[in-house]
Amino acid sequence: ALTGKLGSLASSGRALMLLRGRLHLSATAAIQQQQQQRRLHATPSVGVLGLQEKPTRVTIPEASHGGMMSKSQHWTVERVLTVGMLPLYPAALMMDGLAMNLAVGAAITMHVYWGIEAVIKDYAMERLYGPQLQKILYAVWKVISLIGFAGFVYFCYTDVGFIRVVKDLWTV
């Protein structure tokens, strides 16, 4: 009797899981259908013989960022660069050269640039200080970053390079 009750509970549990799965799938399908209907541009257009053509599919563009990346693309590029820096440093210590020095310099400069840019965005809040302060700080930070990278490139071309300096500091 106990095994019969357990078997019926297990089968009713499976039935409940199947029902939930079907409800989830139907809700997901309904949402996808609504999204697809929103994308269809239903303005009538007149064809060659004056007949109405089928609606054309229109993609909804993301908000314009003045030619820059969207926030999600920017976040992805930051993470790829950060993870890419992990094997870059040991490789740079093994393969010291101009190209590797410039790659390390560009990676460090971009990493620090995006980090300080986030600090500016977090602490120079537009709602407290107005939109002008953020713009000024961003402009100043861009100039400082460009000068820093230019100095790094100059050091790599005219002196021993950043990687050699790091190696020499470790031998001291």
Side-chain angles (χ1 to χ4, degrees):
L2 183 61
T3 58
K5 287 182 181 179
L6 288 176
S8 67
L9 283 175
S11 66
S12 67
R14 283 191 211 120
L16 183 60
M17 286 176 28
L18 286 174
L19 181 61
R20 274 194 213 156
R22 286 185 185 150
L23 288 175
H24 176 71
L25 287 176
S26 64
T28 305
I31 291 170
Q32 289 173 346
Q33 187 178 11
Q34 283 179 342
Q35 289 174 343
Q36 187 177 15
Q37 286 174 353
R38 282 188 203 137
R39 287 187 197 116
L40 287 176
H41 188 58
T43 58
S45 58
V46 178
V48 177
L49 300 174
L51 301 174
Q52 187 173 359
E53 295 179 354
K54 291 181 181 178
T56 57
R57 182 175 294 273
V58 175
T59 57
I60 301 169
E62 289 188 25
S64 175
H65 298 285
M68 296 187 295
M69 292 183 277
S70 69
K71 291 179 182 179
S72 64
Q73 290 171 328
H74 183 67
W75 185 89
T76 303
V77 169
E78 284 180 359
R79 297 308 167 260
V80 167
L81 176 74
T82 302
V83 171
M85 289 170 71
L86 293 173
L88 180 67
Y89 297 140
L93 292 173
M94 290 186 278
M95 299 181 291
D96 186 9
L98 179 62
M100 191 58 77
N101 271 302
L102 294 176
V104 168
I108 290 172
T109 302
M110 290 305 299
H111 187 70
V112 172
Y113 173 79
W114 285 327
I116 299 298
E117 189 179 51
V119 169
I120 291 170
K121 183 177 182 178
D122 289 344
Y123 292 103
M125 293 172 270
E126 209 173 300
R127 62 185 165 92
L128 291 177
Y129 304 108
Q132 295 305 318
L133 179 65
Q134 263 191 359
K135 290 178 184 177
I136 291 168
L137 290 175
Y138 282 145
V140 168
W141 179 237
K142 283 180 185 179
V143 169
I144 290 171
S145 296
L146 286 172
I147 290 171
F149 183 67
F152 189 87
V153 170
Y154 178 79
F155 182 72
C156 289
Y157 273 108
T158 61
D159 210 334
V160 294
F162 180 73
I163 298 169
R164 171 58 45 201
V165 170
V166 170
K167 286 180 181 179
D168 291 345
L169 284 174
W170 281 354
T171 58
V172 171

